[in-house]
Amino acid sequence: MKVTLRNQACHWILFVLTLNVHFRAVRSRNIRCHICIVTCDFWGLPAAGGTATAYHLLANSLASSGSTNWPVTLLGATRRTSLCEDAKQKLSSGAVKFECLSPEHFHPKVVENFPYEALGVAVVRWLKDAGRSCDIIHTHEWGGGMQQVASYASMHPEVRLIVEPHGGHFWSTQGTRERPTDLFALRIDDLERQTLQMAHDVKSPSAYMLAHLRQRGWHLPADSSVIPNIVPQAAGSSDARQVKQVWRLAFFGRLEERKGIKLFCEAIEMLDVTKYPKLEVMFIGGASQVDMMPSTKYLQQRTANWPVRVQLLGQLSRPEAMSVLKEKGTLIVLASLVENLPFALAEACIEEIPFITFNVGGVVEMLDSALHEDVIVHNISSVSLYQTIDCILSQGWAKTSTLTVGMKRGEKLWHSLHKQHDQNRRRRTSSGTPLTVQVVSMELLQKCRVLKNDICTAKDTAETLLLVPANFQIPSLADLTHIKYLASQLQRLVMSHRLGALVFGSRLPNSFVSYPSTPTWITYHGTEPLCVENNPLLILKDLFCSLFLPEAGDFELFHTWLLIKHLNGAGLITTAFPDPVFSLLNFSRSDPGCFSDRIPSFRKLSGDRVGNLLGPAEDVLMGHHLAVWPRPVTAFREDFHSFQGHRGWYYISYDEFGQENSLQFWEAKQQWACDTDSPASISQTSLHPCASRPVEGGVCCGRKLTVVGVRYVSNIRDPSAFLDLTFEVWPTCGDGLVVEGVLVNQQNLESRKLFSKAFAPSSDPPQRETVAQTIPLLPGDSLVVLVDPLDNHDCDGVYIQDIKLWTST
């Protein structure tokens, strides 16, 4: 090893890490092809959905194939390990080996930048368990957590990663009032993109989903193709349509708005039921929430005065549901607003149960649309649904439907794909191209041009750069084994996956692990407003010298995110290596925005700089002119300010006697409070009350209780304004709290309670609630949201996702 130090603004160390022999991942090669299916949705979860059905049927089919005898393991990826273990007891009797994560897989703990991050890291730890060897890994993209799995698999070319897109976060929000563009949503969306881009194969259940993703600019492997989900008995299902009588309507699907529950109810209410004396309506599906109430309660209230027989059967097992739906006279109504390849439709075809469906997702790939015009509702509306239902009830019958040839070939195609991978796997190797690594140790305030000049004009033979910012400890030679191997894979990954660079997670001083991720590329402390802007990064020297552009003159200092932005401009992605090779010595930034759902002040840019970074004209045109995003009248988080009354928002508190007390804004903490020490506070993301009735002296702003809240004073006149409030509660101490909303009429000062809900202490994950209500608003009316801490609660508050008001127009 040759080491050279230069005492310059940017000093660097050249490690000659040439690999004399091909480096191989330490993993055993199976005699038989071992298939691992990793899914966050599996049978046994209370709300198991279509992804669970698709993967369990795939696992059972592959494991029971007599000609191959493949060992198949299905991992139920969830933090709720006890729930998974219960499912394991019920599902492990067949040919598929069902496994769960253990609590040890979640240690050391991960600072989460999005909800599924710790889960993804735990899955990688499971994959690396001693003795485990997966030749083919199946997983999904939604949630973004499996990006860690994709990153791990891409570094091991002898492993084949197959990703099936089942619909991502942004896709699933179609039809909502506002598509999510908060930091969590952006992060999840981009990690979902990376999961597919880093895959060896993308096999979509439908051509619709592939087209949807490509239309959004997702880069998929060149040979991405369609293989329908396996549907048992599809191959032998009938090709002849049957005529069956109809007098009973069955809503079949999860009881939620996305599945069309409201449109279905509206369509039924349009019917002249006096024409159909035998009419019955039933609801079969898992419970959810509609208008901030349990879906069962919502349906009980909505159907209470319907002049027809109504059955609320709730969630039934698949065999139970089919038994009920096969009863004579039943027409299934599939009113879902968003679908990929609906399994329920395929089941209805096989069981010869008549149905109607909206033309969504891959429906027309499952049915020959020319032969099924009578069952496909092309206009997604309650009126069109009503018209189709009314027509069928008037004639008293409906035809069954038949599956296309493509749907019937799904199982055969999956088996052929795995046979091909099984034949090719012995020819795959984890060897890479031996490269030397130049370790560049940077200063805290590293100048861009100096960095590029020192690296790109130096006469050395290193092909790869490891940029190590200040505050990070350079790995030991033992840890550099990871770096050596990754460097050997970089050229292949640039060509095969458009990978421009790798960033690295770090072990933090508090024993947590943190990984930088899109779109901020910041390492966060997690519980304190501390962070680090720059992170260790591995990149080919040629890419760095040709694509990093400090000469543009917009930035004097080096930023990891800026280099990544320049790589993105060349069509290259950056991903995090799922193993903490580095240790962070200390955090260089303290800022109220140093949390994963916020933007720190040091990252905010001037208009000129943003203009200089704008992308293609078509994207700018689309985002700013052709279809301007719907905007609420006001949004609490966006309008949060250090002045009372800014854009109508006031930050308030009450004592135990109901007396309103003043708060002041504390710049250092970016929050409203009575003083710097009281637990009672209001920030851009939280309402934190305080109670200490059993304690003498009063520690809550000098009182025994402080209720905190916000008041929005209206400046609009709208009889049907829309309130959209989403919050999370995670009380783990004290005796809980109450969240309530009140509307105060400014003319007569009458108060109307909009909602009120108590939350008891719990060790379960956060309880998320959504309030979606239409309210009348006049100028001067007040909308008040309060958090009451009961008798003894000063350690937890309410996380505000946002409070938004929309006009009816």
Side-chain angles (χ1 to χ4, degrees):
M1 181 179 71
K2 175 184 176 183
V3 179
T4 305
L5 294 179
R6 289 187 180 179
N7 188 18
Q8 295 182 346
C10 167
H11 60 276
W12 52 269
I13 309 169
L14 176 62
F15 287 103
V16 182
L17 300 174
T18 304
L19 308 181
N20 297 319
V21 295
H22 290 316
F23 182 92
R24 294 181 181 272
V26 182
R27 47 186 318 278
S28 58
R29 183 58 59 90
N30 295 314
I31 298 175
R32 293 183 296 166
C33 181
H34 188 177
I35 301 167
C36 296
I37 297 177
V38 180
T39 173
C40 299
D41 188 21
F42 54 89
W43 289 346
L45 289 178
T51 304
T53 299
Y55 277 134
H56 278 278
L57 292 177
L58 175 64
N60 291 335
S61 177
L62 295 175
S64 59
S65 175
S67 62
T68 55
N69 194 25
W70 289 311
V72 179
T73 299
L74 190 146
L75 173 67
T78 178
R79 303 169 193 257
R80 302 159 74 182
T81 53
S82 59
L83 186 63
C84 184
E85 291 293 340
D86 291 341
K88 180 178 179 179
Q89 295 298 319
K90 301 173 184 176
L91 298 171
S92 287
S93 58
V96 177
K97 183 181 181 182
F98 190 97
E99 290 197 18
C100 302
L101 297 171
S102 69
E104 289 72 26
H105 289 127
F106 293 91
H107 292 280
K109 292 184 177 180
V110 175
V111 175
E112 289 200 284
N113 294 322
F114 64 101
Y116 289 98
E117 184 169 16
L119 187 60
V121 174
V123 171
V124 171
R125 292 169 181 165
W126 176 83
L127 288 168
K128 293 166 63 178
D129 279 350
R132 186 177 313 288
S133 186
C134 301
D135 295 293
I136 298 175
I137 301 174
H138 285 267
T139 194
H140 51 75
E141 90 292 9
W142 57 262
M146 296 304 104
Q147 181 271 343
Q148 298 272 11
V149 177
S151 180
Y152 169 83
S154 69
M155 308 301 168
H156 299 84
E158 76 280 11
V159 176
R160 208 68 184 169
L161 176 69
I162 304 175
V163 180
E164 296 82 15
H166 291 278
H169 179 66
F170 203 78
W171 171 84
S172 67
T173 62
Q174 294 177 77
T176 58
R177 182 175 295 269
E178 183 181 24
R179 303 295 286 279
T181 54
D182 57 276
L183 277 182
F184 280 168
L186 294 175
R187 188 169 285 126
I188 290 170
D189 182 75
D190 202 61
L191 292 172
E192 289 172 342
R193 291 174 183 247
Q194 287 191 21
T195 304
L196 293 179
Q197 186 164 342
M198 298 297 289
H200 298 103
D201 284 321
V202 170
K203 300 303 177 188
S204 173
S206 66
Y208 151 77
M209 182 56 71
L210 281 183
H212 172 83
L213 298 176
R214 284 173 169 151
Q215 178 176 268
R216 291 197 56 222
W218 289 36
H219 296 293
L220 309 180
D223 58 350
S224 299
S225 60
V226 176
I227 302 183
N229 295 332
I230 291 177
V231 180
Q233 292 87 47
S237 62
S238 174
D239 290 326
R241 301 186 70 187
Q242 307 293 326
V243 175
K244 296 198 174 183
Q245 291 182 305
V246 168
W247 64 82
R248 182 187 303 109
L249 304 175
F251 179 92
F252 186 34
R254 189 168 171 80
L255 305 178
E256 62 182 6
E257 290 189 52
R258 195 169 65 118
K259 292 297 183 180
I261 190 72
K262 284 188 173 181
L263 293 185
F264 176 78
C265 289
E266 291 169 7
I268 299 301
E269 290 163 355
M270 294 178 191
L271 290 171
D272 180 0
V273 296
T274 61
K275 294 162 51 180
Y276 316 115
K278 293 177 63 177
L279 179 62
E280 300 175 14
V281 179
M282 66 171 62
F283 295 86
I284 301 176
S288 183
Q289 281 204 337
V290 183
D291 289 349
M292 206 193 170
M293 67 176 72
S295 52
T296 302
K297 183 178 180 181
Y298 169 84
L299 289 173
Q300 287 172 341
Q301 293 181 3
R302 180 145 191 177
T303 65
N305 296 320
W306 285 8
V308 297
R309 184 186 179 207
V310 177
Q311 298 180 74
L312 305 180
L313 301 182
Q315 182 157 7
L316 304 177
S317 69
R318 218 69 190 185
E320 290 172 335
M322 284 297 109
S323 177
V324 171
L325 293 169
K326 284 194 289 185
E327 291 180 2
K328 186 177 179 180
T330 301
L331 174 76
I332 298 176
V333 180
L334 301 173
S336 181
L337 310 179
V338 181
E339 285 289 356
N340 185 358
L341 200 79
F343 185 75
L345 186 152
E347 281 184 303
C349 290
I350 292 168
E351 299 293 345
E352 297 187 318
I353 306 170
F355 64 85
I356 60 174
T357 176
F358 281 133
N359 183 13
V360 292
V363 164
V364 293
E365 300 172 50
M366 305 176 74
L367 307 173
D368 185 335
S369 57
L371 302 177
H372 292 84
E373 280 296 321
D374 53 323
V375 304
I376 299 176
V377 183
H378 292 282
N379 185 18
I380 303 175
S381 69
S382 56
V383 173
S384 296
L385 190 62
Y386 148 73
Q387 291 171 342
T388 304
I389 292 173
D390 191 52
C391 177
I392 290 175
L393 291 175
S394 295
Q395 65 191 20
W397 56 268
K399 286 185 177 181
T400 60
S401 300
T402 60
L403 293 171
T404 59
V405 174
M407 284 297 301
K408 295 182 178 184
R409 296 181 61 237
E411 187 167 27
K412 182 179 180 181
L413 292 173
W414 276 118
H415 282 250
S416 297
L417 176 71
H418 286 80
K419 287 179 181 178
Q420 179 185 350
H421 284 322
D422 192 4
Q423 294 167 359
N424 294 337
R425 69 189 179 96
R426 298 181 189 280
R427 295 196 296 268
R428 292 196 292 264
T429 176
S430 59
S431 61
T433 304
L435 299 177
T436 52
V437 180
Q438 177 180 331
V439 181
V440 181
S441 182
M442 298 189 294
E443 292 189 338
L444 182 61
L445 301 177
Q446 179 63 61
K447 293 187 176 181
C448 284
R449 297 195 187 194
V450 172
L451 177 68
K452 184 172 182 179
N453 183 70
D454 280 0
I455 290 174
C456 300
T457 60
K459 295 180 180 180
D460 58 70
T461 59
E463 298 101 337
T464 312
L465 303 175
L466 179 62
L467 305 181
V468 184
N471 299 320
F472 287 91
Q473 181 177 331
I474 294 177
S476 65
L477 288 179
D479 283 334
L480 279 171
T481 301
H482 290 296
I483 306 297
K484 291 193 297 184
Y485 176 67
L486 296 175
S488 74
Q489 299 295 317
L490 269 187
Q491 288 184 340
R492 175 184 62 82
L493 292 171
V494 171
M495 299 299 296
S496 61
H497 298 297
R498 300 185 185 180
L499 179 68
L502 282 174
V503 293
F504 294 90
S506 303
R507 293 176 286 268
L508 305 185
N510 60 3
S511 77
F512 276 61
V513 172
S514 184
Y515 296 89
S517 64
T518 179
T520 54
W521 300 108
I522 289 174
T523 295
Y524 299 97
H525 180 281
T527 57
E528 300 292 335
L530 302 171
C531 59
V532 173
E533 183 179 18
N534 292 328
N535 295 280
L537 180 143
L538 185 70
I539 185 173
L540 291 175
K541 182 176 179 179
D542 286 347
L543 288 183
F544 176 85
C545 293
S546 61
L547 298 181
F548 184 44
L549 307 170
E551 298 86 355
D554 290 297
F555 298 90
E556 181 183 4
L557 299 180
F558 174 82
H559 307 283
T560 300
W561 71 264
L562 181 62
L563 172 56
I564 293 172
K565 168 70 176 174
H566 291 161
L567 294 175
N568 289 343
L572 300 175
I573 64 170
T574 300
T575 190
F577 177 63
D579 205 5
V581 177
F582 290 80
S583 294
L584 179 64
L585 302 177
N586 57 73
F587 289 91
S588 59
R589 296 280 195 174
S590 176
D591 188 287
C594 278
F595 289 102
S596 58
D597 62 339
R598 308 179 204 175
I599 299 291
S601 58
F602 58 81
R603 281 296 301 276
K604 295 182 180 179
L605 304 175
S606 68
D608 281 343
R609 282 187 176 178
V610 171
N612 291 345
L613 294 172
L614 284 179
E618 292 81 1
D619 293 343
V620 177
L621 176 70
M622 192 74 67
H624 291 264
H625 299 286
L626 295 185
V628 179
W629 290 97
R631 299 286 298 173
V633 173
T634 187
F636 169 73
R637 289 185 60 164
E638 184 175 342
D639 296 336
F640 182 81
H641 209 275
S642 57
F643 294 97
Q644 293 279 16
H646 175 72
R647 301 203 65 178
W649 289 97
Y650 294 83
Y651 312 95
I652 57 178
S653 70
Y654 294 90
D655 60 21
E656 62 265 38
F657 305 108
Q659 178 68 39
E660 183 171 342
N661 298 289
S662 63
L663 300 176
Q664 66 182 98
F665 188 77
W666 299 89
E667 190 73 31
K669 293 187 175 182
Q670 290 290 297
Q671 65 183 25
W672 290 88
C674 57
D675 56 55
T676 57
D677 298 323
S678 172
S681 62
I682 301 169
S683 73
Q684 188 181 26
T685 56
S686 66
L687 303 179
H688 199 297
C690 176
S692 57
R693 294 184 201 268
V695 180
E696 293 297 327
V699 297
C700 304
C701 299
R703 304 170 184 87
K704 293 187 176 181
L705 180 143
T706 298
V707 177
V708 298
V710 292
R711 178 192 296 121
Y712 172 73
V713 180
S714 168
N715 64 351
I716 65 171
R717 183 186 302 272
D718 192 330
S720 301
F722 187 80
L723 168 64
D724 185 5
L725 162 62
T726 302
F727 61 91
E728 288 183 359
V729 180
W730 197 348
T732 58
C733 53
D735 55 2
L737 46 78
V738 175
V739 181
E740 66 178 20
V742 178
L743 182 63
V744 182
N745 185 292
Q746 63 91 20
Q747 294 181 339
N748 54 28
L749 299 183
E750 289 185 355
S751 298
R752 168 189 160 196
K753 185 171 289 188
L754 301 176
F755 63 89
S756 180
K757 188 165 185 178
F759 297 87
S762 171
S763 58
D764 290 334
Q767 304 165 63
R768 171 169 284 205
E769 297 287 343
T770 297
V771 179
Q773 291 187 21
T774 298
I775 59 175
L777 273 181
L778 296 172
D781 287 356
S782 295
L783 170 67
V784 182
V785 178
L786 299 173
V787 181
D788 187 333
L790 299 180
D791 286 335
N792 182 21
H793 190 87
D794 62 358
C795 50
D796 298 293
V798 172
Y799 174 83
I800 301 295
Q801 184 71 29
D802 219 336
I803 308 171
K804 297 181 179 181
L805 277 168
W806 302 75
T807 63
S808 56
T809 55

